[in-house]
Amino acid sequence: MASFLIWGAGGHSKVVADLVRAAGHTLAGFIDADGSKLNRVVESGGGHVSILQDDFLALVRANRLPDHVDAIALAIGGNNTRRLWCLHQLQRDVAPPLVHPSAIVSPSASLAAGTVVFAGAIINADARIGAAVIVNTGAIVEHDCSIADGVHLAPRSTLAGEVDVGVCAWIGAGATVLQQRSVGRDAVVGAGAVVIRDVADGSTVAGVPAYPLDHPRGRTTPAAGRVADVPHR
Ligand code: JB2
């Protein structure tokens, strides 16, 4: 059992706090760049340590953690690049992967530092999940998928087998990526999309089947205007 400080004190941090406790750890408190986030109650029964990001970074650079803190959980959900940056400020062993007890993770799958696997997620055989990844509630990662650092797999997204997802890509809620397809780095797959072709680096696709938003078919696809969970960049 470890005492976790959660980096980020917005909406996503509430789910990470529940995960920390469900995984048998204790919640020490929160880090945020915005002091106003730390001055209000994030959740009932929450932790008692509140520390500004700059103060925390000063400690980390001195090779220390705040008193009574053993570990850090990453909880900036809306900005993949920023969450990965946070991990890079830390020694990797300070941010172990966290798995909700209701998730199913194959013994042959691998999870890297700072990754969180939420309730009901399934990660099947030989899947490789990078660092600072969010496998959100009910997401499915089938066998032999390769998920790079900083990716966010939103709730109930599904990756069929042997899918590659590039650094900091975002797979929207309920989206499906068919087997052996790839999604490039920094790409965004809109909520509910069905990806049947590879998605280029940095592009945003939406719809069923998914097209880039700047593609003529993309503009006429009914779901193209409903990319509900495009991250804030
Ligand atoms: O560089 C930063 C940063 N540094 C600290 N970028 C962003 N976006 N946030 C930063 N923070 C802190 O993380 C902010 O001060 C803020 O307190 C927190 C992010 O909170 P926010 O409520 O904006 O988003 P979130 O990441 O908790 O949740 C988003 O993403 C989730 C996956 C929401 O869209 C949720 O609805 C969603 N489920």
Side-chain angles (χ1 to χ4, degrees):
M1 187 174 90
S3 173
F4 272 81
L5 201 51
I6 294 182
W7 197 339
H12 185 65
S13 75
K14 300 177 190 179
V15 192
V16 175
D18 283 345
L19 169 59
V20 163
R21 284 185 296 246
H25 303 294
T26 57
L27 179 59
F30 297 87
I31 309 160
D32 205 289
D34 177 354
S36 68
K37 293 285 179 76
L38 297 173
N39 290 333
R40 63 183 169 79
V41 176
V42 175
E43 48 147 27
S44 58
H48 53 274
V49 176
S50 286
I51 182 163
L52 280 170
Q53 183 167 292
D54 284 348
D55 297 336
F56 174 72
L57 287 171
L59 278 177
V60 164
R61 285 175 192 136
N63 240 343
R64 291 180 49 208
L65 288 177
D67 291 343
H68 312 299
V69 170
D70 311 310
I72 307 297
L74 305 178
I76 296 175
N79 187 325
N80 291 345
T81 309
R82 192 65 175 172
R83 187 176 63 260
L84 186 54
W85 177 87
C86 293
L87 180 68
H88 290 157
Q89 310 314 303
L90 302 169
Q91 302 286 341
R92 290 240 159 171
D93 58 356
V94 167
L98 285 165
V99 178
H100 194 278
S102 70
I104 297 171
V105 179
S106 166
S108 63
S110 60
L111 303 174
T115 282
V116 290
V117 181
F118 285 159
I122 299 175
I123 300 175
N124 272 342
D126 285 324
R128 298 173 300 284
I129 315 288
V133 170
I134 301 170
V135 183
N136 218 318
T137 310
I140 297 174
V141 181
E142 261 300 342
H143 67 92
D144 296 297
C145 285
S146 177
I147 313 300
D149 294 351
V151 167
H152 182 174
L153 307 177
R156 286 205 172 273
S157 56
T158 299
L159 306 180
E162 300 176 48
V163 168
D164 284 348
V165 182
V167 173
C168 290
W170 182 292
I171 311 293
T176 298
V177 182
L178 296 191
Q179 59 269 30
Q180 297 175 339
R181 302 306 185 268
S182 64
V183 175
R185 64 182 299 142
D186 297 315
V188 175
V189 175
V194 176
V195 171
I196 64 171
R197 302 174 191 83
D198 293 349
V199 176
D201 290 352
S203 69
T204 297
V205 302
V208 182
Y211 282 96
L213 289 188
D214 59 1
H215 186 284
R217 293 284 297 275
R219 281 200 292 275
T220 57
T221 302
R226 292 191 244 126
V227 187
D229 62 349
V230 171
H232 326 296
R233 289 184 189 275

